[in-house]
Amino acid sequence: MELIAQERDRLLRSTTRVVGIICTLVSLVSVLCSFAVPVGPLVAGIACIAVMIGALVVFGVNGAVWCTALTLVSGLAAMVILTSAAAPDVRSVVASGLVPLAAGGLSSLLMAQRGHLAGLGLAALGGVASLAVMANATGTVLSAPVGGTALGWVLTAVVAYWISRSIPRVARRIYSIGTAHRAERQASETEAQRRQGARLLHDTVLATLTLLAHSGVGVSEQAMREQAAEDARLLRHLRLGATPQPQQSGDYSLTRTEESPLGQTLESVKQRFGRMGLEVSWHGTGQVLLPTHVLDAFLLALAECLENVRRHAGVAEAHVTIVHDNDMVRAMVTDSGVGFEIGAIDEERLGFKESVVNRLREVGGDARLFSAPGSGTTVVLEAPR
């Protein structure tokens, strides 16, 4: 809020400077074109106008009260000198030419006096004095120059009041929008963290519990022990504070490194599934460096595909072919198992949709599934380098 207030004051001072200088120069040109003021008083009036413009320039920088006073005094002095020096029959013409200075150049000071009582009081006195100078120059308070000057001050006062009331409302609105944005971002990050936690547990602990629920069919007792130990170690790390914190949706890692080699980590996945009775054959690329968060998503999606082969394909072997180019790493997971009808899969199932497709999409990759009953299954995984 403090920053908004500072920007508001700076903008109002700049507006005062621009409006004041433009209106003053318009009046100067009008007086010069009238040829109604002798040279001596004209030079003196121009000098006062120069002082007024200099005071407005300084006012636009610091908004000091003395700049307000100097602007009003020099502006009023210019009006008095120029109108009194003109001949009586053309004095109203000179007064008309000075209306922009009186109605705009001087009244513009009202816009930047919010919270400055001394400056506001000086501006109000300047308004009264400018009306008095115009009335004296024309000889009546009902003349056009007096009316134009009064109208200019009234309009400027209305604009100044509108600005003083509107800017705080805008500031409060901006603050409320910022608060809503922060709340939405926090909720989004919390949801992303919840989804990552669900995926992580689904791919590790829940997979082991599913094996236990089916009495570990097809998996040796030693492999079950080792897998359970790995899951217990993971849960212990999480409990001790290694909770994945997403830097973006789907971006988490228990270790913070810039890049990790794909080849070394593929071997650990192969050993894990080898212990559970699924022989994994690797083909293609040996070593590829990937950013850590991409590597995590890629390996976890790959492991989920192999877990589906182990549980559903009815075969003891799967093939993984790794290829890459300058932009993308691709893994093709194939098996010669029973296959299935893709359209018959429930879209609400967490396994493939969340742990494979959405996981890769959140790091800029994708996944495609191909299968048919009796013809095995192929999954193509893509991850950016």
Side-chain angles (χ1 to χ4, degrees), residues 241-264:
T243 304
Q245 296 292 335
Q247 298 175 355
Q248 60 184 10
S249 182
D251 178 0
Y252 68 84
S253 175
L254 294 178
T255 58
R256 299 183 180 274
T257 57
E258 292 300 324
E259 290 186 320
S260 298
L262 176 61
Q264 296 177 5

Side-chain angles (χ1 to χ4, degrees), residues 228-250:
E230 289 184 4
D231 293 343
R233 185 164 54 253
L234 170 64
L235 291 175
R236 184 164 56 253
H237 286 319
L238 295 176
R239 182 175 60 84
L240 292 177
T243 304
Q245 296 292 335
Q247 298 175 355
Q248 60 184 10
S249 182

Side-chain angles (χ1 to χ4, degrees), residues 4-21 55-65 67-68 108-114 116 163 167:
I4 293 177
Q6 293 176 358
E7 288 299 313
R8 172 202 65 202
D9 294 341
R10 184 188 63 80
L11 178 61
L12 291 177
R13 291 197 304 269
S14 299
T15 304
T16 297
R17 177 178 58 195
V18 172
V19 173
I21 292 175
L56 284 171
V57 171
V58 178
F59 180 85
V61 176
N62 57 27
V65 175
C67 292
T68 301
S108 64
L109 293 168
L110 283 174
M111 292 188 292
Q113 302 302 329
R114 185 179 186 275
H116 302 284
I163 291 175
I167 289 182

Side-chain angles (χ1 to χ4, degrees), residues 58-120:
V58 178
F59 180 85
V61 176
N62 57 27
V65 175
W66 68 266
C67 292
T68 301
L70 182 58
T71 300
L72 292 170
V73 170
S74 56
L76 291 170
M79 292 173 59
V80 171
I81 291 172
L82 294 173
T83 54
S84 61
D89 57 334
V90 294
R91 192 168 293 169
S92 61
V93 175
V94 176
S96 298
L98 291 174
V99 167
L101 187 152
L106 298 179
S107 68
S108 64
L109 293 168
L110 283 174
M111 292 188 292
Q113 302 302 329
R114 185 179 186 275
H116 302 284
L117 295 180
L120 186 61

Side-chain angles (χ1 to χ4, degrees), residues 10-46:
R10 184 188 63 80
L11 178 61
L12 291 177
R13 291 197 304 269
S14 299
T15 304
T16 297
R17 177 178 58 195
V18 172
V19 173
I21 292 175
I22 291 176
C23 291
T24 302
L25 291 177
V26 169
S27 286
L28 178 60
V29 172
S30 298
V31 172
L32 290 174
C33 293
S34 68
F35 300 103
V37 180
V39 175
L42 181 62
V43 172
I46 292 175

